[in-house]
């Protein structure tokens, strides 16, 4: 994953902005009526039988059960089939941290769900702000971008990622599970968590990744050498033709 300057400051500012937005939406009358009006407009003007099934299906693909399965299969494929343990760990962390950070914001904001009588699939046992489904999609989109950011497909990945986030966010409002500010807040919360994990990754985790058990059996040293060769050029990467440049090991990018 890339090194982000001022990662801690950016993380704190984004999270603070999300909490302020959530508190304002949940506990004042400045946003709530407009949120509800937009929800009802979407539901009244767009709901049809076949689209109900499609939107429920889209929502299920980003649900907790599906999310765990997707993350496990994806990380396992990178680790076992592709033999890219650094990519596997980085991808797992970006998605897991970006996704589950919503639980902190949910507890702090404590916003109730939209009225159940308008919902196609009423949610229970979870607060409304922010949307975990949308945060999961944001985290997946960012993780895919990190993997493809140096390839010729990066623009396509960005466009597809944005469309996926918009689709899942729309599905959550369509079925009546979230308000618009819940979905927008999830982008801020997931973004803040991803900023944070990129900093922790380069400052603390990546230099110690060889301490994780079993990774060496899946090509850790080979992937590390390839990353260093890509970072420094083939003439000065360790084991390729020259010494390591001091003070730069924390900024290795895990594609």
């Amino acid at each position: 994953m890339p090194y982000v300057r001022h990662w801690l400051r950016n993380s704190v500012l984004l999270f603070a902005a999300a909490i302020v937005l959530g508190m304002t939406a949940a506990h004042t009358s400045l946003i709530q009526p407009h949120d509800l009006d937009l929800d009802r407009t979407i539901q009244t003007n767009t709901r049809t039988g076949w689209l109900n099934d499609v939107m429920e299906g889209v929502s299920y693909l980003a649900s907790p059960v599906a999310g765990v399965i997707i993350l496990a299969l994806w990380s396992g494929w990178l680790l076992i089939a592709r033999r890219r343990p650094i990519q596997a760990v980085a991808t797992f962390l970006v998605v897991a941290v970006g996704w589950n950070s919503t639980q902190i914001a949910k507890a702090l904001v404590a916003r109730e769900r939209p009225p159940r009588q308008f919902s196609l699939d009423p949610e229970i046992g979870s607060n409304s702000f922010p949307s975990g489904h949308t945060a999961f999609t944001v985290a997946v989109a960012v993780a895919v971008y990190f993997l493809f950011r140096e390839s010729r497909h990066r623009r396509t990945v960005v466009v597809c990622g944005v469309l996926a986030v918009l689709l899942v966010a729309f599905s959550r409002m369509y079925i009546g599970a979230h308000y618009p500010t819940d979905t927008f807040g999830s982008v801020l919360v997931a973004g803040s968590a991803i900023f944070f994990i990129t900093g922790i990754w380069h400052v603390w985790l990546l230099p110690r990744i060889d301490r994780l058990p079993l990774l060496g059996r899946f090509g850790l040293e080979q992937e590390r050498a390839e990353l260093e060769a890509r970072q420094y050029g083939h003439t000065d990467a360790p084991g390729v033709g020259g010494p390591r440049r001091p003070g730069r090991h924390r900024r290795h990018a895990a594609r």
Side-chain angles (χ1 to χ4, degrees), residues 160-237:
C160 291
V162 171
L163 292 177
V165 171
L166 292 175
L167 178 61
V168 171
F170 178 80
S171 76
R172 300 304 287 161
M173 293 181 287
Y174 180 96
I175 68 175
H178 283 287
Y179 296 105
T181 49
D182 298 340
T183 60
F184 179 69
S186 66
V187 177
L188 298 179
V189 172
S192 72
I194 292 170
F195 273 128
F196 182 78
I197 198 60
T198 60
I200 296 298
W201 172 259
H202 288 280
V203 169
W204 191 80
L205 291 174
L206 184 56
R208 296 169 176 81
I209 198 169
D210 54 351
R211 300 181 185 179
L212 293 178
L214 303 179
L215 288 188
R217 299 183 182 182
F218 296 97
L220 177 61
E221 291 304 319
Q222 179 180 351
E223 186 181 13
R224 187 192 293 276
E226 291 174 359
L227 290 172
E228 291 175 344
R230 188 180 303 116
Q231 180 76 11
Y232 301 138
H234 293 285
T235 60
D236 61 353

Side-chain angles (χ1 to χ4, degrees), residues 9-104:
R9 181 190 67 186
N10 292 338
S11 176
V12 171
L13 289 176
L14 272 181
F15 189 76
I19 296 303
V20 169
L21 174 64
M23 290 292 189
T24 303
H27 304 294
T28 75
S29 59
L30 294 176
I31 297 176
Q32 178 79 2
H34 306 290
D35 259 355
L36 187 57
D37 285 346
L38 183 53
D39 261 1
R40 293 301 297 136
T41 298
I42 292 172
Q43 295 154 8
T44 302
N45 295 337
T46 63
R47 277 183 179 174
T48 58
W50 68 269
L51 192 55
N52 292 351
D53 295 334
V54 170
M55 290 296 104
E56 288 181 319
V58 168
S59 186
Y60 180 76
L61 287 175
S63 69
V65 173
V68 169
I69 294 172
I70 291 169
L71 182 55
L73 292 176
W74 188 10
S75 301
W77 177 75
L78 288 172
L79 178 65
I80 299 171
R82 293 284 296 167
R83 296 185 67 82
R84 290 292 185 268
I86 296 178
Q87 287 185 357
V89 174
T91 297
F92 178 86
L93 288 173
V94 168
V95 177
V97 174
W99 180 20
N100 288 285
S101 62
T102 58
Q103 297 305 312
I104 301 174

